[in-house]
Amino acid sequence: MRYLIRPLKEQDIPAIIEGETKAFGRSLGFDLIYSDLHLNPYAHYLVLEINKKVNGYIGLWITPDGADVINFYVDKEYQGRGFGKKLLKFAIDLCTMSKVKQISLEVRENNEVAIALYEKMGFKFSHKRERYYSDNTDALVMIKELDV
Ligand SMILES: CC(C)(COP(=O)(O)OP(=O)(O)OC[C@H]1O[C@@H](n2cnc3c(N)ncnc32)[C@H](O)[C@@H]1OP(=O)(O)O)[C@@H](O)C(=O)NCCC(=O)NCCS
């Protein structure tokens, strides 16, 4: 199995929308991803390509004040094989190189797999955002401090 992690290209957007919709039931949508790609200097989207197909991605906004994870998934057929960890590590390394002090993200409070991964990668619970998601599930805000 050959894989690589690389920056998103415009032609990847349809595959990302399909993958996000499968993973979350909805997508950030073409317009947001397209404008982030072409107009937002703070946006960084990293694609996981396995056997020349897009099978996941992580999207981040990295500003001088800190980084935020916008979205993150690995296609179901490739989950549990270490790709999520690789994508997240790549994103953390990018933030370290960008010399930001912290990375934050929101995760559904019942998303045990993602929470376990974030804890393993050094993220710590910060606070809750109540009824953050459209189905009223609370979000946990998790933060990783970086040594800069
Ligand atoms: C969260 C997600 C990106 C993780 O990707 P992945 O490729 O499955 O993760 P990995 O295989 O790298 O596993 C990393 C860690 O996650 C946890 N994990 C993975 N699969 C798990 C499972 N079935 N049960 C419990 N924990 C699990 C483990 O802690 C694992 O670390 P370990 O291998 O050292 O035990 C993936 O499950 C996914 O896309 N989920 C749906 C979308 C989503 O929830 N995104 C996050 C939004 S905040």
Side-chain angles (χ1 to χ4, degrees), residues 28-76:
L28 293 178
F30 187 90
D31 291 353
L32 192 145
I33 301 172
Y34 181 90
S35 63
D36 261 2
L37 181 62
H38 292 297
L39 300 170
N40 183 351
Y42 299 125
H44 300 266
Y45 286 77
L46 303 166
V47 162
L48 169 69
E49 189 183 294
I50 304 171
N51 296 335
K52 301 197 170 168
K53 282 192 172 166
V54 172
N55 287 109
Y57 91 124
I58 188 163
L60 300 148
W61 286 353
I62 305 177
T63 74
D65 294 333
D68 286 294
V69 177
I70 305 303
N71 233 359
F72 172 38
Y73 80 89
V74 170
D75 275 334
K76 212 170 186 65

Side-chain angles (χ1 to χ4, degrees), residues 23-24 72-74 78-85 106-107 111 113-114 116-118 120:
F24 303 108
F72 172 38
Y73 80 89
V74 170
Y78 290 107
Q79 286 176 13
R81 301 199 208 176
F83 288 114
K85 207 185 282 179
E106 284 96 14
V107 57
N111 192 344
V113 171
L117 170 57
Y118 296 142
K120 210 161 272 181

Side-chain angles (χ1 to χ4, degrees), residues 1 3 10 16 18 22 35 52 54 58 62 70 82 88 93 99 101 106 129-130 134 137 140 148:
M1 193 187 318
Y3 81 91
E10 190 177 325
I16 292 298
E18 194 183 328
K22 276 189 195 150
S35 63
K52 301 197 170 168
V54 172
I58 188 163
I62 305 177
I70 305 303
L88 189 58
D93 288 347
K99 300 199 185 310
K101 288 195 181 125
E106 284 96 14
R129 292 212 168 113
E130 289 189 11
S134 55
T137 306
L140 307 187
V148 287

